[in-house]
């Protein structure tokens, strides 16, 4: 039967699953292990989404009054997300080790499951202090190839510089739920259609504007900032039509959400070091590295003020770093201020 003109011009639906398979075809020697790994991750994302959307309905909200290794209050939903991601990923045979924000040490794959060649680092529920207010939260992931040869993965497998990531991404639980990821061939965003339970390609080949109009930082900390950071933020607020200033200010307090907006609209997100957090607040391995990988794939930059984030050699799982991330021109300007050149 001939296909009608209307059918031929209808939009093509690209599910996340199909996209992952097509990405793997770029590697002729691929074994399918990577596809399986991302497939498990997308299932974990849906399981966390299911609970996040129920958060106001069931008695899962509220603090357990325990603290995680980074000193933040751990909420019950954090624990759920942490367990869910671990359990969705521990038996696929793709991973040799994992690490998460919620656990001090690396997470081993149980002895009775096969070990694979990949390493997963994740922040199960970023922005957890926003949960009770129904504000956007997210999950972040970062994947490396193992460096040890076989058996159980080790800390060495986890502490690789960010430029060695093979995939990074996040799931954002906002007005819609999106899965945004990159395998090193651009950044692609998929929006969850809850009626069919599938992530559908909605943002193909995301490119961040070269220069933006928005800055994002917790200005409540400005009394603790270095003078150079203060001068940069003051500069962004000055009026100068020729350079597109003043910038607007937006700050959500969930890295995933602030980063997602920055990726789409351009501008700069910053979490500088300050007197209280001399190394910055954000964690290199499962917050800054994955976002840095994504922003570079989208044409932007990420720096700690002195150095490209992806080149930092980490010495511990929960290491912190200052972060300046976003449009190339804006990050460059931040670096110039921080290095005292302006
Ligand atoms: P929580 O998960 O404890 O809410 O922390 C979120 C976060 O690590 C990151 O997502 C935000 O960008 C940053 O902290 C916000 O920190 P401030 O509350 O100090 O601005």
């Amino acid at each position: 039967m001939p296909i009608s003109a209307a059918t031929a011009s209808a939009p093509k639906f690209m599910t996340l699953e199909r996209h992952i398979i097509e990405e793997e075809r770029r590697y002729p020697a691929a074994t399918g292990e990577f596809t399986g790994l991302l497939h498990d991750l997308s299932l974990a994302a849906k399981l966390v989404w299911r609970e996040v959307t129920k958060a106001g309905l069931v008695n899962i909200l509220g603090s357990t009054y325990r603290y995680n290794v980074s000193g933040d209050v751990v909420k019950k939903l954090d624990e759920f997300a942490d367990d869910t991601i671990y359990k969705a990923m521990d038996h696929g045979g793709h991973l040799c080790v994992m690490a998460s924000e919620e656990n001090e040490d690396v997470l081993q794959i149980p002895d009775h499951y096969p070990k694979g060649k990949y390493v997963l680092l994740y922040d199960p529920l970023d922005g957890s202090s926003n949960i009770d207010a129904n504000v956007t939260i997210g999950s972040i992931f970062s994947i490396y190839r193992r460096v040890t040869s076989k058996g159980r993965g080790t800390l060495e497998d986890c502490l690789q510089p960010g430029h060695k990531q093979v995939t990074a991404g996040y799931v954002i639980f906002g007005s819609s739920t999106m899965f945004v990821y990159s395998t090193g061939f651009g950044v692609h965003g998929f929006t969850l259609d809850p009626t069919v339970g599938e992530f559908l390609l909605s943002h193909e080949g995301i490119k961040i504007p070269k220069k933006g109009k928005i800055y994002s930082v917790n200005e409540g900390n400005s009394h603790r900032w270095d003078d150079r950071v203060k001068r940069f933020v003051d500069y962004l607020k000055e009026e100068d039509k020729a350079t597109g200033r003043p910038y607007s200010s937006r700050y959500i307090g969930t890295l995933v959400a602030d980063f997602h907006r920055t990726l789409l609209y351009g501008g700069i997100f910053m979490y500088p070091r300050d007197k209280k957090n001399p190394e910055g607040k954000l964690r290199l391995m499962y917050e800054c590295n994955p976002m840095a990988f994504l922003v570079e794939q989208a044409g932007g930059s990420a720096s700690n003020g002195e150095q490209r984030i992806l080149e930092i050699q980490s010495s511990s799982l929960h290491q912190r770093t200052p972060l300046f991330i976003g449009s190339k021109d804006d990050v460059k300007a931040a670096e110039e201020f921080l290095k005292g050149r302006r």
Side-chain angles (χ1 to χ4, degrees):
M1 193 168 55
I3 297 171
S4 71
T7 307
S9 62
K12 183 177 116 197
F13 292 110
M14 171 70 89
T15 63
L16 176 59
E17 309 287 313
R18 173 125 308 273
H19 196 265
I20 290 167
I21 292 168
E22 293 195 4
E23 289 285 284
E24 179 138 16
R25 288 206 184 114
R26 292 174 185 274
Y27 302 91
T31 57
E33 203 172 312
F34 191 58
T35 302
L37 167 59
L38 287 175
H39 173 272
D40 290 352
L41 209 49
S42 78
L43 174 65
K46 285 183 214 166
L47 294 170
V48 175
W49 161 76
R50 192 181 60 186
E51 256 1 81
V52 165
T53 53
K54 284 196 302 205
L57 301 172
V58 293
N59 188 22
I60 199 165
L61 282 176
S63 166
T64 55
Y65 304 108
R66 291 202 289 106
Y67 286 83
N68 69 8
V69 288
S70 302
D72 311 316
V73 176
V74 176
K75 303 276 178 157
K76 285 180 185 167
L77 208 48
D78 296 32
E79 293 174 3
F80 174 85
D82 194 34
D83 286 356
T84 301
I85 296 174
Y86 178 77
K87 285 184 189 135
M89 306 304 299
D90 71 351
H91 57 282
H94 316 303
L95 296 174
C96 64
V97 69
M98 291 186 249
S100 123
E101 190 206 5
E102 301 296 339
N103 299 277
E104 181 119 33
D105 297 321
V106 298
L107 299 167
Q108 289 298 347
I109 304 298
D111 284 342
H112 50 285
Y113 292 135
K115 317 289 176 289
K117 60 181 178 217
Y118 293 103
V119 177
L120 172 69
L121 293 105
Y122 62 97
D123 182 352
L125 215 54
D126 171 60
S128 46
S129 59
N130 277 328
I131 295 172
D132 290 357
N134 209 359
V135 172
T136 299
I137 50 179
S139 304
I140 312 175
F141 61 88
S142 164
I143 298 170
Y144 293 86
R145 227 170 250 113
R146 69 183 300 171
V147 289
T148 54
S149 58
K150 58 178 184 338
R152 287 182 148 207
T154 66
L155 186 60
E156 190 194 346
D157 292 308
C158 296
L159 297 185
Q160 301 186 51
H163 66 85
K164 295 258 171 86
Q165 288 170 106
V166 290
T167 293
Y170 57 84
V171 188
I172 177 166
F173 306 105
S175 42
S176 58
T177 294
M178 282 186 72
F179 189 105
V180 178
Y181 87 119
S182 175
T183 57
F185 295 96
V187 182
H188 309 291
F190 298 75
T191 303
L192 183 67
D193 181 341
T195 60
V196 291
E198 291 280 4
F199 285 104
L200 301 176
L201 183 62
S202 53
H203 297 62
E204 190 172 13
I206 298 172
K207 288 280 167 227
I208 185 169
K210 191 161 174 283
K211 182 176 175 321
K213 296 189 213 114
I214 299 172
Y215 75 97
S216 184
V217 67
N218 185 343
E219 277 197 276
N221 296 335
S222 60
H223 62 290
R224 297 196 291 256
W225 292 343
D226 181 283
D227 276 350
R228 292 173 181 191
V229 177
K230 280 187 193 157
R231 284 203 306 106
F232 176 55
V233 174
D234 287 345
Y235 163 84
L236 294 174
K237 293 192 282 191
E238 279 164 17
E239 188 159 16
D240 178 43
K241 281 213 172 78
T243 52
R245 292 177 290 143
Y247 278 34
S248 279
S249 164
R250 297 279 187 279
Y251 190 72
I252 297 166
T254 298
L255 175 65
V256 170
D258 283 312
F259 177 78
H260 187 67
R261 183 200 55 248
T262 306
L263 187 67
L264 296 182
Y265 297 173
I268 184 163
F269 170 86
M270 316 168 238
Y271 210 113
R273 67 173 90 243
D274 61 36
K275 288 192 186 112
K276 184 174 153 206
N277 297 298
E279 303 305 324
K281 179 187 176 192
L282 301 180
R283 288 54 146 212
L284 175 64
M285 299 310 295
Y286 40 80
E287 291 188 310
C288 301
N289 270 340
M291 297 318 196
F293 184 82
L294 290 166
V295 86
E296 287 200 4
Q297 283 294 316
S301 331
S303 165
N304 66 359
E306 284 137 33
Q307 182 185 11
R308 186 177 163 224
I309 291 287
L310 294 182
E311 277 166 11
I312 300 174
Q313 176 57 60
S314 58
S315 53
S316 70
L317 265 186
H318 302 287
Q319 180 171 333
R320 297 172 191 267
T321 176
L323 178 67
F324 299 83
I325 190 166
S327 295
K328 219 171 205 148
D329 288 359
D330 295 319
V331 174
K332 187 164 171 246
E335 275 187 327
E336 284 170 0
F337 274 89
L338 284 152
K339 289 178 182 168
R341 295 193 191 131
R342 285 172 79 165

